[in-house]
Amino acid sequence: MNRLRGAGRALPYSAGMTQHPVPDQRRPANDGPKAAARNRAALVAAAREIYAEHGLDAPLSAIARRAGVGQGVLYRHFPDRAAVTTAVLEENVREVEQAAAAEDATLAGVLGVLTWHLKESAAFIGLLHADGSDHRSAVRAHALALSRRVEHALRAHLPDAGHRLATADDLMLAVAMVSGAATGPSHEERERRALAAWRLLGVEVGPVRPFHG
Amino acid sequence: MNRLRGAGRALPYSAGMTQHPVPDQRRPANDGPKAAARNRAALVAAAREIYAEHGLDAPLSAIARRAGVGQGVLYRHFPDRAAVTTAVLEENVREVEQAAAAEDATLAGVLGVLTWHLKESAAFIGLLHADGSDHRSAVRAHALALSRRVEHALRAHLPDAGHRLATADDLMLAVAMVSGAATGPSHEERERRALAAWRLLGVEVGPVRPFHG
Amino acid sequence: MNRLRGAGRALPYSAGMTQHPVPDQRRPANDGPKAAARNRAALVAAAREIYAEHGLDAPLSAIARRAGVGQGVLYRHFPDRAAVTTAVLEENVREVEQAAAAEDATLAGVLGVLTWHLKESAAFIGLLHADGSDHRSAVRAHALALSRRVEHALRAHLPDAGHRLATADDLMLAVAMVSGAATGPSHEERERRALAAWRLLGVEVGPVRPFHG
Amino acid sequence: MNRLRGAGRALPYSAGMTQHPVPDQRRPANDGPKAAARNRAALVAAAREIYAEHGLDAPLSAIARRAGVGQGVLYRHFPDRAAVTTAVLEENVREVEQAAAAEDATLAGVLGVLTWHLKESAAFIGLLHADGSDHRSAVRAHALALSRRVEHALRAHLPDAGHRLATADDLMLAVAMVSGAATGPSHEERERRALAAWRLLGVEVGPVRPFHG
DNA sequence: AATGAATGAGGATTCATTCAT
DNA sequence: GATGAATGAATCCTCATTCAT
């Protein structure tokens, strides 16, 4: 029922950017460890796209295809589906952490970055609503840790005591609420709704953008 | 497409193996047409439970099993997965409508009923976060209509102009936000978080319970 | 649509029962990509046999089993039942075309090859009698094209104007007639009847055999 | 995959022609044995239509629906699918026999009736090409007997010794051939092709019509 | 280190057949 | 005698995962 096949970068060997003279052989150039890192990054990026387009239940094969690699490579880098999902989330969280750790970080700024990821990454949203279903619970475990890292990152920028969201718990609840509102068919719509949600909560949010992007 | 064999017995291809369980055993009770309505209700209830436990992608066979009926019965009542999901949502929405239509209805009271369904029904929540994956998009179409019915029900009880949620749009956004917050492993946890979310929005909510339940 | 479980193991719903056959047993040999072409050929051959024995509606699983491959392999090579049927027909037609294209081809010789396929391949016959049922109509479309290819092949060897079957249309009608006669439980019986049919039509037929076989 | 449901006379109780005052009850009038005969006839007629439209593998439920009766009634009259098919053929053959037994019967006249059934009844054609598949072989047994009855009917009107089809065997082969040619999407097309086939065989055929119809 | 074919379990779906009413 | 709901086996089809090359 999933019409993912044939979509996007279908040619396994076309994605490489190697400048080597075209090898005369059938097998793709074995670029060694360099390729490995590149492949891993491509897989995470592909997973983010595929998740956004088709949900967290998209076939792993679709992710590998979008990344321009064989399925074996996916399994080399990630033992199972949960590991893929986790890797995507990991990236999201790391950016939020970096935004929070920046010299001149402000709550509004960090929330802007966070909101960017909320609107961008279906996985990031979906995770917060993951029910108890099987593999997801595997993800959930890790997600809890990630959630704590976000909380920790925000904690450094909590508003003053008088603010409605003066505690980390409340702030995290607010994040969940905004993520709940950040639905819609397009990135634009999701951003619009997310910002409206923050407004309802009386929270000021900086520009919605990736960190250093 | 295949109707070559007489009722699934003794296929030429299946050299044994698939013998009938206990040929001497009588068929399970067939309670006749009377059971039809009862079965439909049991299926919807089972779907609600299974969806809550395993997510919207839980196998339909699990729903049939939980309802205590054969898979065929499920398909008799619902042509496909979307119809099952839709039936669950329909019930949720109908209760909210009834709560809103009651003689002495108040916004707080209606939101209490709504919140009960939010915490109870994973489908109700999941729907708002449905990604574009195939069958869900079929559901989404219907979900939009349902969403409008909720909006219509709430519209009759909008707070005064001065309130932070004075428009129906804002109120619906708030519902989405609360639904985003109403996550967690247990009903209790979900209710607790939902109420905390309403509080952050400064909205008063009546007792969280089903309508007339 | 369901990707919740880790590779079909240990489902929450399947309380036992469906354990793996013999966990200690090694997977069946995976001969690697080299096997691909071999498998495809095996599948077509198996399909021809199974179709002959059980009709065009035989289960695809039976074809896969006969070919000695998993069902997945069948689906890798052929997206659906129509593709399988079409592949079988394609082979039949190609042989007829080759026979017609041979240096020293004669009408009698080509009809001999054609007749061999008529008696051999239930699909070839069944196609001409395909009713409107769903997947068959998909096949029919392709079958029409194939039919035209046969007609084209025969056209190069039409008998002289005086002959009873002097037009391609009449010749194709005759083919349909012979195919209608070529029934029976065994290949021998079918060949016998086919030849009798050609005789009734006053057409001389060469040796009944595959091309270059 | 079969889209038969909902097609044609879907209302179970609408087909009756009884003039009784409309019963006030929910259950349909129980017209007793009279209805039984009517139902049987309706089932055979429905089977003929459904077979023609969807092939011999059409669901029995479609036949019952088309006949305007419940599935139980079908099973009361026919123990299994083979019995249904057989009943349809039986009618075809009986008409041919009656045509052959008529006072002024001629070979051309009988072949006209036979040809009408060939073009009309997919079952009649399909049967001759039934492969060895399971339930069909059950049908085949009976079909052989029927075939002999047709042969017997024709034998009384064999052409003179000089004719190309002077033996009953040859005549039956010719029937099979014509049935092989009588394909096509419409009755008209099938009749056209059948007549062309007879012409190729040099056989004169009377008007194509049912006996006394 | 990468590819992509193969396996095979599991869920979806369809009917043949039974049977309470 | 009739209705039509229920059962459940069988088939279809889709991936997760392994592994020869």
Side-chain angles (χ1 to χ4, degrees):
Chain A
M1 207 67 65
N2 250 305
R3 290 291 129 59
L4 304 181
R5 296 154 225 25
R9 310 170 202 164
L11 301 178
Y13 308 140
S14 67
M17 315 205 63
T18 47
Q19 300 301 331
H20 306 309
V22 183
D24 219 345
Q25 292 147 286
R26 188 74 46 93
R27 296 191 73 78
N30 180 342
D31 290 350
K34 303 261 192 52
R38 203 165 48 230
N39 281 342
R40 190 182 194 284
L43 280 165
V44 173
R48 192 186 306 282
E49 291 176 24
I50 295 285
Y51 280 163
E53 292 169 24
H54 302 277
L56 284 176
D57 289 326
L60 293 184
S61 57
I63 294 175
R65 194 176 313 116
R66 177 73 65 101
V69 302
Q71 293 190 223
V73 174
L74 188 151
Y75 277 89
R76 165 172 302 274
H77 289 291
F78 308 103
D80 54 24
R81 172 184 290 279
V84 178
T85 311
T86 287
V88 172
L89 293 175
E90 176 73 27
E91 255 194 27
N92 292 331
V93 170
R94 193 162 37 230
E95 282 230 350
V96 174
E97 287 181 322
Q98 289 173 349
E103 192 73 38
D104 56 346
T106 63
L107 179 60
V110 176
L111 291 182
V113 173
L114 173 58
T115 302
W116 188 84
H117 286 288
L118 283 183
K119 85 154 193 212
E120 202 67 19
S121 186
F124 202 34
I125 294 182
L127 243 288
L128 302 171
H129 306 287
D131 25 64
S133 73
D134 317 293
H135 86 265
R136 293 192 176 174
S137 65
V139 175
R140 272 215 96 108
H142 198 77
L144 221 76
L146 292 174
S147 182
R148 271 196 286 269
R149 283 169 55 190
V150 172
E151 184 178 336
H152 184 76
L154 293 180
R155 203 183 284 274
H157 303 282
L158 284 186
D160 299 328
H163 195 277
R164 212 178 342 160
L165 299 179
T167 73
D169 274 1
D170 279 351
L171 199 48
M172 289 305 285
L173 186 64
V175 170
M177 292 171 73
V178 173
S179 110
T183 62
S186 68
H187 287 195
E188 291 70 31
E189 172 74 358
R190 289 202 290 273
E191 175 171 342
R192 208 181 54 67
R193 289 175 56 90
L195 288 177
W198 284 121
R199 205 174 310 123
L200 277 189
L201 287 165
V203 174
E204 186 195 0
V205 179
V208 175
R209 55 173 168 75
F211 184 63
H212 280 174
Chain B
M1 202 69 60
N2 247 302
R3 240 134 296 133
L4 304 181
R5 21 219 149 297
R9 261 145 203 155
L11 290 192
Y13 316 114
S14 71
M17 286 268 80
T18 329
Q19 300 293 338
H20 272 196
V22 189
D24 235 340
Q25 171 98 26
R26 198 175 290 290
R27 286 201 148 206
N30 173 348
D31 289 351
K34 293 284 184 47
R38 186 166 11 114
N39 282 341
R40 192 185 192 281
L43 280 165
V44 173
R48 194 185 305 282
E49 291 176 24
I50 294 284
Y51 279 162
E53 292 168 25
H54 302 277
L56 283 177
D57 288 324
L60 294 184
S61 57
I63 294 175
R65 197 174 315 122
R66 177 73 64 99
V69 302
Q71 292 193 223
V73 174
L74 189 152
Y75 280 93
R76 164 176 294 274
H77 289 290
F78 308 103
D80 54 24
R81 175 185 288 279
V84 178
T85 311
T86 286
V88 172
L89 293 175
E90 176 72 28
E91 254 194 29
N92 293 331
V93 170
R94 194 162 37 229
E95 282 231 349
V96 173
E97 288 180 323
Q98 288 173 349
E103 191 73 38
D104 54 347
T106 62
L107 178 61
V110 175
L111 291 182
V113 172
L114 172 57
T115 302
W116 188 85
H117 287 288
L118 284 184
K119 82 153 197 214
E120 201 66 18
S121 187
F124 203 32
I125 295 181
L127 242 288
L128 302 172
H129 306 286
D131 31 64
S133 81
D134 314 287
H135 82 266
R136 292 196 176 175
S137 66
V139 175
R140 273 215 93 110
H142 197 78
L144 221 77
L146 292 174
S147 182
R148 270 195 285 271
R149 282 169 54 190
V150 172
E151 184 179 336
H152 184 76
L154 293 181
R155 203 182 284 275
H157 303 283
L158 285 186
D160 298 329
H163 195 279
R164 210 178 342 160
L165 299 179
T167 74
D169 275 0
D170 280 351
L171 198 49
M172 289 304 285
L173 186 64
V175 169
M177 293 171 72
V178 172
S179 111
T183 62
S186 66
H187 287 196
E188 290 71 29
E189 172 73 359
R190 290 203 288 273
E191 175 171 342
R192 208 182 53 66
R193 289 174 58 89
L195 289 177
W198 283 121
R199 205 173 312 123
L200 278 189
L201 287 165
V203 175
E204 185 197 0
V205 179
V208 175
R209 54 173 168 74
F211 184 63
H212 279 174
Chain C
M1 202 68 62
N2 248 302
R3 240 135 296 131
L4 304 182
R5 21 223 147 296
R9 260 144 202 154
L11 289 192
Y13 317 114
S14 71
M17 288 266 79
T18 328
Q19 300 293 336
H20 272 196
V22 190
D24 235 340
Q25 171 96 25
R26 199 174 290 289
R27 284 199 150 209
N30 174 349
D31 289 351
K34 293 283 185 49
R38 184 166 12 114
N39 282 341
R40 192 185 192 282
L43 280 165
V44 173
R48 196 187 302 282
E49 290 176 24
I50 295 283
Y51 279 163
E53 292 168 25
H54 303 278
L56 284 177
D57 287 325
L60 294 184
S61 57
I63 294 175
R65 197 175 315 124
R66 177 74 63 100
V69 302
Q71 292 193 222
V73 175
L74 188 152
Y75 281 93
R76 164 177 294 274
H77 288 290
F78 308 103
D80 54 25
R81 176 184 290 278
V84 178
T85 310
T86 286
V88 172
L89 293 175
E90 177 72 27
E91 255 195 28
N92 292 331
V93 169
R94 192 161 38 227
E95 281 230 351
V96 172
E97 287 181 323
Q98 288 174 350
E103 190 74 38
D104 55 347
T106 63
L107 179 60
V110 175
L111 291 183
V113 172
L114 173 57
T115 301
W116 188 86
H117 286 287
L118 283 183
K119 84 152 195 213
E120 202 66 18
S121 188
F124 204 32
I125 296 181
L127 244 289
L128 302 171
H129 306 287
D131 30 63
S133 81
D134 314 288
H135 82 266
R136 292 195 176 173
S137 65
V139 174
R140 274 215 94 109
H142 197 78
L144 220 77
L146 292 174
S147 182
R148 270 195 286 269
R149 283 170 55 189
V150 172
E151 185 178 335
H152 184 76
L154 293 180
R155 205 182 283 276
H157 303 283
L158 286 185
D160 298 329
H163 195 278
R164 211 181 338 164
L165 298 179
T167 73
D169 275 0
D170 280 350
L171 198 49
M172 289 304 284
L173 186 63
V175 169
M177 293 171 73
V178 172
S179 112
T183 61
S186 68
H187 287 195
E188 291 72 30
E189 172 73 359
R190 291 203 287 272
E191 175 170 345
R192 207 181 54 67
R193 290 175 57 91
L195 288 177
W198 283 121
R199 204 174 311 121
L200 278 189
L201 287 165
V203 174
E204 186 196 359
V205 179
V208 175
R209 55 173 169 74
F211 184 63
H212 280 174
Chain D
M1 205 66 65
N2 250 303
R3 290 291 129 59
L4 305 180
R5 295 154 227 23
R9 310 172 203 162
L11 301 178
Y13 308 140
S14 68
M17 314 205 64
T18 46
Q19 300 300 332
H20 305 309
V22 183
D24 219 345
Q25 294 147 287
R26 187 77 44 92
R27 295 189 74 76
N30 179 343
D31 290 348
K34 304 262 192 54
R38 202 166 46 230
N39 282 342
R40 191 182 192 283
L43 281 165
V44 173
R48 193 186 305 281
E49 291 177 23
I50 294 285
Y51 280 162
E53 292 169 24
H54 302 276
L56 284 177
D57 289 327
L60 294 183
S61 57
I63 295 175
R65 194 176 314 117
R66 178 72 66 100
V69 303
Q71 294 190 222
V73 174
L74 187 151
Y75 277 89
R76 165 172 301 276
H77 289 290
F78 308 103
D80 54 23
R81 173 184 289 279
V84 177
T85 312
T86 287
V88 172
L89 293 175
E90 176 72 27
E91 255 195 27
N92 292 331
V93 170
R94 193 161 37 229
E95 281 229 350
V96 173
E97 287 181 323
Q98 289 173 350
E103 191 72 40
D104 55 347
T106 63
L107 179 60
V110 176
L111 291 183
V113 172
L114 173 57
T115 301
W116 187 85
H117 286 287
L118 283 183
K119 82 153 196 214
E120 201 67 19
S121 187
F124 202 32
I125 296 182
L127 245 288
L128 301 172
H129 307 287
D131 27 63
S133 73
D134 316 292
H135 84 266
R136 293 191 176 173
S137 66
V139 176
R140 273 215 94 108
H142 197 79
L144 221 77
L146 292 173
S147 183
R148 270 196 286 270
R149 283 169 55 189
V150 172
E151 184 178 338
H152 184 76
L154 293 180
R155 202 182 286 274
H157 303 281
L158 284 186
D160 298 329
H163 195 278
R164 212 184 337 166
L165 299 178
T167 73
D169 274 0
D170 279 350
L171 197 49
M172 289 304 285
L173 187 63
V175 169
M177 293 171 73
V178 173
S179 109
T183 62
S186 67
H187 287 195
E188 291 69 30
E189 172 73 357
R190 289 202 290 272
E191 175 170 342
R192 207 181 55 67
R193 290 176 56 90
L195 289 176
W198 284 121
R199 204 175 310 122
L200 278 189
L201 287 165
V203 174
E204 184 197 1
V205 179
V208 174
R209 55 172 168 74
F211 183 65
H212 281 173

